[in-house]
């Protein structure tokens, strides 16, 4: 029976991921319906905390976008990337990582991909190299950013939930992921044929218009709309919000303390505020300040692309995590029995289970909310769970994630591609190397930092 239920779970995730958009969410609800009404499973707890964090954080990022702050960040990143084109294989991924780490979203990547592709092509560096690592770097930035839903969920009420958890995640995962990115840059430095020897590129260069467009001497600052007046101000406000969240995570004693009682979504049993509450109040207050100070209308915030992506993320997480939580809680004894012995002896093996589900779910927050509580139930220590955290970034395995497709489309040379066997695509080796190294580095760092 367990295998049939697991097959239904996987089928719903696979179908939902192919549907794109809110597909994961609605198919998750179909799976939940089957579990509850056919298999008589008691529904697990819906991921309300993660949904609240997604709504708060992404709404704030959307406000930053509406105020012009994201445009300003993109221009800063573009300046860095164009500053040393010969070393773009190293500069582009690290630039992407730090900007996505700050913003808590990989959406900045979409504006930077065409710049990375253009700069690499003009220097006749195979664009596949910087593009593939940059995509993986944008994903790794989520696991460590205080402004990401996945990190907030991991540090929050239902998983780690101890004082200083957010800071522990940051001080292990950020350097571990940076080490992973560095090693990956070295691995891809000679990946594929040089552009001048690539038969696909050679064939494309026979088109005079294509060749002319690549060699055109374009002004990097030309043909751009002026930044909105409040763009820089909104970035400053956003940065202050990030800093306040980090301070709240590092020094929980500075937060208001209430009477001990039953734990809830907003307050712990000992009377401390949950990080969900802190993050929501700080980020949405920052949104209000951005709108008031820069005179950006609230309606304009709801019309930007990030705000619509928030709705998609909330529905997706709601359906797929609720379905997964129901499956996990109903089969907890069997799952623990199957995994406990191996995971107890070798905690790193739990990373494989997290990686596999992450590859299917296409959502770091959903994978975190589904798998990390299971890790705790299996007795995996907090330092080991933090080291394993980058494994939730396995959404590159199946080449249907938007960042991968965007990178492929922006590479006009054809070097970034999906292979004949689907999984042998341009991002597979960089992704596997980066995550493996990040996890290994996380275990090493955790042994003396935590």
């Amino acid at each position: 029976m367990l295998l049939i239920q697991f097959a239904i779970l996987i089928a719903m995730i696979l179908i939902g991921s192919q549907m794109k958009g809110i597909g994961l969410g609605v198919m998750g609800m179909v799976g939940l319906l089957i579990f509850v009404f056919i298999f008589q499973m008691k529904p697990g707890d819906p991921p309300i905390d993660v949904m609240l964090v997604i709504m708060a954080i992404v709404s704030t990022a959307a406000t930053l976008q509406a105020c012009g702050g994201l445009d300003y960040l993109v221009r800063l990143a573009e300046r860095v990337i164009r500053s040393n084109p010969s070393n773009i294989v190293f500069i582009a991924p690290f630039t992407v990582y730090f900007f996505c780490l700050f913003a808590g979203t990989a959406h900045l990547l979409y504006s930077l991909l065409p710049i990375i592709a253009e700069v690499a092509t003009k220097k006749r560096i195979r664009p596949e190299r910087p593009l593939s690592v940059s995509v993986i770097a944008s994903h790794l930035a989520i696991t460590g950013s205080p402004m990401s839903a996945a990190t907030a969920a991991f540090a929050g009420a239902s998983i780690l939930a101890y004082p200083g958890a957010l800071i522990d995640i940051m001080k292990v995962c950020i350097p571990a992921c940076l080490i992973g990115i560095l090693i990956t840059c070295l691995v891809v430095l000679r990946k594929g044929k040089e552009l001048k020897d690539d038969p696909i590129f050679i064939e494309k260069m026979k088109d005079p218009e294509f060749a002319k467009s690549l060699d055109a001497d374009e002004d990097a600052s030309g043909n751009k709309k002026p930044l909105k007046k409040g763009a820089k101000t909104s970035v400053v406000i956003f940065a202050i919000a990030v800093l306040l969240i980090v301070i709240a995570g590092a020094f929980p004693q500075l937060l208001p303390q209430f009477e001990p009682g039953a734990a809830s979504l907003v307050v712990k049993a000992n009377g401390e505020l949950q990080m969900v509450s802190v993050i929501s109040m700080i980020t949405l207050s920052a949104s209000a300040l951005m709108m008031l100070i820069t005179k950006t209308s609230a309606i304009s915030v709801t019309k930007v692309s990030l705000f619509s992506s928030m709705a998609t993320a909330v529905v997706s997480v709601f359906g797929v995590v609720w379905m997964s939580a129901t499956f996990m809680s109903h089969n907890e004894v069997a799952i623990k029995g199957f995994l406990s012995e191996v995971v107890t002896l070798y905690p790193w093996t739990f990373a494989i289970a997290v990686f596999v589900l992450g590859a299917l779910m296409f959502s770091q927050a959903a994978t975190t909310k589904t798998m990390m509580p299971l890790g705790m139930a299996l007795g995996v220590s907090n330092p080991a769970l933090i080291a394993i955290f980058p494994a939730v970034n396995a959404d590159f395995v199946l080449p249907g994630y938007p960042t991968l497709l965007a990178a492929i489309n922006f590479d006009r040379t054809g070097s970034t591609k999906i292979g004949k066997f689907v999984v042998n695509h341009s991002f597979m080796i960089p992704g596997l190397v980066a995550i493996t190294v990040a996890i290994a580095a996380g275990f090493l760092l955790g042994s003396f930092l935590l």
Side-chain angles (χ1 to χ4, degrees), residues 54-133:
I54 291 174
M55 286 191 288
I57 289 178
V58 182
S59 293
T60 306
T63 306
L64 183 70
Q65 183 180 11
C67 295
L70 278 184
D71 290 335
Y72 176 62
L73 290 176
V74 167
R75 292 190 188 186
L76 288 179
E78 178 182 353
R79 197 177 304 164
V80 174
I81 291 169
R82 292 185 185 275
S83 64
N84 192 349
S86 298
N87 291 313
I88 192 170
V89 175
F90 292 95
I91 291 175
F94 283 103
T95 302
V96 166
Y97 178 83
F98 282 113
F99 276 83
C100 291
L101 181 77
F102 173 76
T105 173
H107 287 280
L108 275 177
L109 179 68
Y110 298 117
S111 299
L112 297 176
L113 286 173
I115 299 164
I116 296 169
E118 174 203 339
V119 172
T121 303
K122 286 183 182 300
K123 291 297 293 184
R124 295 301 187 265
I125 295 171
R126 189 177 179 88
E128 177 188 30
R129 296 166 184 170
L131 284 173
S132 61
V133 189

Side-chain angles (χ1 to χ4, degrees), residues 136 139 355 393-399 404 425 427-428 431-432 435:
I136 301 303
H139 295 194
F355 183 89
N393 293 296
D395 41 20
F396 65 87
V397 173
L398 301 174
L404 278 70
H425 51 73
F427 311 91
M428 183 61 81
L432 291 174
I435 289 180

Side-chain angles (χ1 to χ4, degrees), residues 420-441:
K420 180 180 178 181
F421 302 104
V422 182
V423 292
N424 60 329
H425 51 73
S426 296
F427 311 91
M428 183 61 81
I429 291 175
L432 291 174
V433 171
I435 289 180
T436 302
V437 172
I439 292 172

Side-chain angles (χ1 to χ4, degrees), residues 9 56 118 126 142 145 154 188 219 244 253 287 312 366-367 398:
L9 176 79
E118 174 203 339
R126 189 177 179 88
I142 302 304
S145 170
F154 190 28
V188 304
D219 181 2
L244 289 175
Q253 64 270 22
S287 294
T312 300
T367 306
L398 301 174

Side-chain angles (χ1 to χ4, degrees), residues 12-20 23-24 360-362 398 400:
M12 295 301 108
I13 292 174
L14 288 175
I15 295 170
S17 64
Q18 291 298 312
M19 291 170 66
K20 307 293 191 300
L24 269 176
L360 297 171
M361 279 195 166
F362 283 94
L398 301 174

Side-chain angles (χ1 to χ4, degrees), residues 213-354:
S213 69
L214 292 186
D215 296 323
D217 186 16
E218 297 175 357
D219 181 2
S221 62
N223 300 320
K224 289 181 180 176
K225 293 188 293 186
L227 286 171
K228 294 182 179 180
K229 289 183 179 179
K232 294 181 182 179
T233 302
S234 66
V235 171
V236 171
I237 296 171
F238 190 86
I240 292 172
V242 174
L243 180 62
L244 289 175
I245 290 172
V246 172
I247 292 173
F251 306 102
Q253 64 270 22
L254 297 177
L255 301 175
Q257 185 78 27
F258 304 96
E259 288 292 327
S264 70
L265 187 64
V266 293
V267 181
K268 299 177 184 177
N270 63 2
E272 291 180 1
L273 281 172
Q274 299 278 17
M275 279 305 293
V276 174
S277 305
V278 176
I279 291 171
S280 299
M281 287 185 281
I282 291 175
T283 53
L284 290 178
S285 295
S287 294
L289 281 176
M290 280 189 263
M291 286 185 274
L292 291 170
I293 294 175
T294 66
K295 295 180 171 58
T296 300
S297 72
I299 294 175
S300 67
V301 174
T302 64
K303 294 180 179 179
V304 300
S305 59
L306 274 182
F307 195 83
S308 61
S309 73
M310 178 266 290
T312 300
V314 168
V315 174
S316 295
V317 167
F318 184 35
V320 76
V321 174
W322 199 4
M323 172 185 67
S324 301
T326 300
F327 171 81
M328 295 290 186
S329 61
H330 182 79
N331 296 291
E332 185 175 4
V333 174
I335 293 171
K336 281 184 180 179
F338 178 72
L339 294 175
S340 60
E341 186 175 345
V342 175
V343 171
T344 300
L345 291 174
Y346 309 102
W348 62 267
T349 57
F350 184 64
I352 299 172
V354 175

